[in-house]
């Protein structure tokens, strides 16, 4: 596993996860030596495909599962040895899990009642939490009288009213329809920014993670692939998995001639054709010659064929703001380019025609195959 170079300084750890492991007794641990830090007030996304270990990680935070090994500490204090009710956590699930027979205000007050907070203070804190989620005038309603988005905001108010040390959000947008989901993304992020509560947000949706999080921890098969800002994981994917999982990526198999670096000869070749010259700092470590070149569709540039890397246009699809073009290299490998409608490149990309291909050196990520 490679970790990305830390291009953004990582703030001081408030929450520390160290070698966190959970084994259900399957072929491999569901969570496998997970380690990363979360700063106070950070909004961290835990992102990965179904089955990668997100819920298991969250359950260990919440105290519903005891780690097989490893640590979770908040402010230097271990929380793994504490029972769930002694961890100061706010939990929000995809099913809002509100009590139907209680009013909104009673739902929000629930955690304070458990903590034996006095009546007056409870009323003041419930009012403040409802204000934070913009439901000030809804306290006396029942959950059934609210929309899905409003119910989810009540669930958030109920979680933040106890002033938790960390807010755990488990796919909180999955039950909402598409339009509401987009609104709630900003809503949740806004509530978090205003309250400053450190948040761990579990999602399998890369768009949610990219638009909402300060940093994203990308998980695959129980392990951390990369943690970084949305820009870092998108533009500087540390592994092929991250490049493929976040956004679209083309992969071109190539051979790397390290000796050519000194002579200025082509360094990357794909079935006899030269690829654009890479920057020395982008070459993968190690001595292998088989590499995989990853390219985002929007970085591929088309030109009239001029003897360089050539492809044939197989398909062209207009998708509104862009034209998607499927290209076939002489080797038979395919890649996708995204072009601006009406531009000179779009004019070249007639189905069946031959085009020259090129991209900026800094736009390719090169991984050892
Ligand atoms: P995610 O939340 O990312 O979808 P999970 O944490 O639910 O992933 O699951 C991680 C892995 O652990 C998966 O391979 C899953 O099949 C396995 N797993 C989850 N829950 C159990 C369980 N109760 N018993 C056995 N295996 C489980």
């Amino acid at each position: 596993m490679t970790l990305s170079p830390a291009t953004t300084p990582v703030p001081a750890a408030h929450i520390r996860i160290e070698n966190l492991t959970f084994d259900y007794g399957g072929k491999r641990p569901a969570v496998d030596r997970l380690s990363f830090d979360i700063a106070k007030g950070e909004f961290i996304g835990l992102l990965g495909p179904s089955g990668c270990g997100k819920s298991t990680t969250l359950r260990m935070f919440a105290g519903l599962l005891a780690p097989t090994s490893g640590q979770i500490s908040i402010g230097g204090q271990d929380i793994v040895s504490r029972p769930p009710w002694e961890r100061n956590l706010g939990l929000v699930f995809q099913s809002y899990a509100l009590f139907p027979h209680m009013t909104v205000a009673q739902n929000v007050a629930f955690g304070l009642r458990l903590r034996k907070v006095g009546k007056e203070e409870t009323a003041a804190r419930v009012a403040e939490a409802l204000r934070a989620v913009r439901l000030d005038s809804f306290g006396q309603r029942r959950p059934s009288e609210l929309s899905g988005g409003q119910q989810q905001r009540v669930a958030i108010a109920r979680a933040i009213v106890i002033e938790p040390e960390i807010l755990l959000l488990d796919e909180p947008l999955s039950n909402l329809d598409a339009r509401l989901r987009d609104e709630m993304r900003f809503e949740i992020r806004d509530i978090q920014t205003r309250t400053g509560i450190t948040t761990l947000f579990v999602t399998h949706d890369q768009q949610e993670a990219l638009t909402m999080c300060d940093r994203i921890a990308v998980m695959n098969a129980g392990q951390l692939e990369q943690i970084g800002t949305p820009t870092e994981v998108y533009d500087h994917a540390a592994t092929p998995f991250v490049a493929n999982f976040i956004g679209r990526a083309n992969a071109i198999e190539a051979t790397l001639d390290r000796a050519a670096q000194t002579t200025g000869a082509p360094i990357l070749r794909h079935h006899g054709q030269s690829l654009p010259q890479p920057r020395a700092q982008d070459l993968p470590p190690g001595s292998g010659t088989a590499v995989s070149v990853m390219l985002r569709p929007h970085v591929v540039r088309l030109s009239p064929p001029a003897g360089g890397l050539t492809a044939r246009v197989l398909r062209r699809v207009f998708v509104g703001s862009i034209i998607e073009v499927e290209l076939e290299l002489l080797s038979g490998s395919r890649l996708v380019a995204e072009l601006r409608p009406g531009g000179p490149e779009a004019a070249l990309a007639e189905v069946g025609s031959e085009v020259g291909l090129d991209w900026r050196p800094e736009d390719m990520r090169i991984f050892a195959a």
Side-chain angles (χ1 to χ4, degrees):
M1 185 187 68
T2 354
L3 286 179
S4 70
T7 47
T8 307
V10 178
H14 174 52
I15 296 168
R16 176 155 278 175
I17 299 158
E18 281 176 287
N19 289 314
L20 191 66
T21 300
F22 191 88
D23 199 339
Y24 288 102
K27 268 197 219 100
R28 53 163 181 82
V31 174
D32 192 4
R33 291 161 293 154
L34 193 64
S35 296
F36 63 92
D37 288 348
I38 307 176
K40 212 176 178 83
E42 247 192 324
F43 192 110
I44 292 274
L46 201 54
L47 174 71
S50 179
C52 74
K54 305 181 294 293
S55 308
T56 303
T57 303
L58 203 80
R59 281 187 218 133
M60 288 191 275
F61 257 96
L64 306 173
L65 287 176
T68 306
S69 57
Q71 291 298 316
I72 306 172
S73 59
I74 301 184
Q77 303 281 313
D78 162 70
I79 65 161
V80 164
S81 56
R82 289 188 222 159
W85 54 92
E86 283 176 17
R87 301 177 186 199
N88 197 14
L89 309 167
L91 265 165
V92 176
F93 303 99
Q94 48 176 287
S95 59
Y96 327 118
L98 300 177
F99 303 113
H101 58 288
M102 291 186 190
T103 64
V104 164
Q106 287 166 342
N107 265 282
V108 176
F110 186 76
L112 298 177
R113 264 180 42 210
L114 286 185
R115 287 168 175 75
K116 310 236 184 301
V117 174
K119 225 172 165 187
E120 262 174 50
E121 189 186 338
T122 297
R125 283 169 67 175
V126 167
E128 192 190 326
L130 286 177
R131 233 185 344 267
V133 300
R134 298 192 300 109
L135 287 174
D136 325 36
S137 56
F138 289 72
Q140 294 320 306
R141 294 216 197 167
R142 304 263 164 193
S144 58
E145 295 170 307
L146 302 179
S147 70
Q150 289 169 333
Q151 290 185 50
Q152 195 52 294
R153 272 149 55 194
V154 175
I156 294 168
R158 187 178 56 181
I160 65 178
V161 76
I162 61 164
E163 294 169 1
E165 231 154 347
I166 181 166
L167 181 62
L168 304 174
L169 304 175
D170 189 7
E171 306 257 4
L173 304 176
S174 325
N175 277 354
L176 306 174
D177 66 49
R179 205 178 56 87
L180 196 54
R181 205 178 311 150
D182 286 350
E183 277 176 36
M184 278 300 284
R185 275 187 203 168
F186 296 106
E187 186 89 26
I188 289 182
R189 185 59 229 230
D190 187 49
I191 295 166
Q192 192 273 341
T193 306
R194 276 184 284 121
T195 56
I197 299 173
T198 309
T199 300
L200 187 63
F201 170 71
V202 167
T203 183
H204 64 274
D205 183 316
Q206 38 141 328
Q207 289 298 341
E208 285 179 6
L210 289 172
T211 53
M212 293 171 70
C213 299
D214 293 320
R215 286 189 302 147
I216 304 173
V218 185
M219 285 183 75
N220 174 32
Q223 297 189 332
L224 182 70
E225 289 271 330
Q226 183 174 11
I227 181 162
T229 63
T231 321
E232 282 165 6
V233 294
Y234 186 82
D235 286 336
H236 303 283
T239 65
F241 175 86
V242 174
N244 277 307
F245 189 72
I246 300 187
R248 295 175 75 184
N250 294 298
I252 304 172
E253 302 315 315
T255 54
L256 172 62
D257 181 357
R258 286 174 203 273
Q261 247 177 299
T262 47
T263 63
I267 295 175
L268 284 174
R269 299 181 73 80
H270 169 78
H271 292 264
Q273 287 198 295
S274 306
L275 300 184
Q277 287 290 76
R279 302 184 300 185
Q281 72 259 39
D282 295 329
L283 298 180
S287 58
T289 57
V291 294
S292 181
V293 175
M294 306 292 264
L295 287 175
R296 299 289 182 201
H298 70 269
V299 307
V300 179
R301 300 185 297 204
L302 272 58
S303 55
L309 185 64
T310 312
R312 199 163 55 86
V313 178
L314 290 182
R315 218 149 47 96
R316 154 188 188 122
V317 186
F318 177 64
V319 276
S321 55
I322 52 159
I323 294 177
E324 254 178 39
V325 178
E326 192 181 358
L327 300 153
E328 188 176 54
L329 298 173
L330 296 180
S331 64
S333 292
R334 291 182 182 186
L335 57 130
V336 173
E338 291 172 357
L339 311 176
R340 203 165 51 78
E345 292 179 296
L348 289 173
E350 291 300 336
V351 172
S353 58
E354 296 248 307
V355 292
L357 292 188
D358 159 42
W359 50 84
R360 300 186 311 170
E362 60 268 38
D363 286 335
M364 60 181 145
R365 302 284 297 149
I366 306 165
F367 298 105

